[in-house]
Amino acid sequence: METIHIHTESKNYDVFLGEGVLRTVHPFLANHFKDLTKILIITDETVAKIHLDTLLSCLPDYKPVVFTAPGEKKQKPLRFIMMLYLLPWRTVLTANLLFFRLAAGL
């Protein structure tokens, strides 16, 4: 697993890449986000078919909310934005929310 440190003007964060990342998700979250109560996973149909069940099985304590966008061939930028906008945010937004992007590439 590789960690890439991202530094922007407004915030700093880490991106974790590589083989074995899913096996370390639960221990990592438990150690680094002790007050975490909810996870929002954003992915697309293609990646969800391959990896989502595995990821969800690694996160039983967090009851993740999943937003699945249309696959890349069907995805239109405006449609995706509208779908995300219409997500029932009050059911996911809490002070201890983690956004989790499950993707096949950058």
Side-chain angles (χ1 to χ4, degrees):
M1 180 169 66
E2 180 181 350
T3 303
I4 299 173
H5 306 287
I6 306 294
H7 302 284
T8 68
E9 286 184 28
S10 61
K11 69 184 338 181
N12 299 318
Y13 59 94
D14 293 333
V15 175
F16 303 95
L17 304 167
E19 195 172 323
V21 171
L22 288 177
R23 288 190 301 272
T24 63
V25 167
H26 193 278
F28 176 83
L29 294 176
N31 289 330
H32 290 84
F33 300 94
K34 295 183 188 315
D35 296 328
L36 183 64
T37 57
K38 194 159 284 218
I39 295 175
L40 171 61
I41 298 171
I42 300 175
T43 189
D44 67 41
E45 292 171 337
T46 306
V47 175
K49 288 178 188 173
I50 299 168
H51 299 293
L52 185 58
D53 287 339
T54 303
L55 176 60
L56 291 174
S57 72
C58 297
L59 302 170
D61 301 340
Y62 299 104
K63 299 177 186 144
V65 174
V66 178
F67 175 78
T68 305
E72 63 182 72
K73 291 184 180 177
K74 296 185 246 174
Q75 187 170 330
K76 305 281 190 258
L78 184 56
R79 183 173 174 219
F80 174 76
I81 291 168
M82 288 303 297
M83 289 172 68
L84 197 54
Y85 177 76
L86 295 172
L87 186 71
W89 288 103
R90 66 183 159 271
T91 65
V92 273
L93 290 181
T94 67
N96 299 316
L97 171 73
L98 176 71
F99 286 91
F100 197 110
R101 174 73 171 118
L102 180 62
L106 296 177

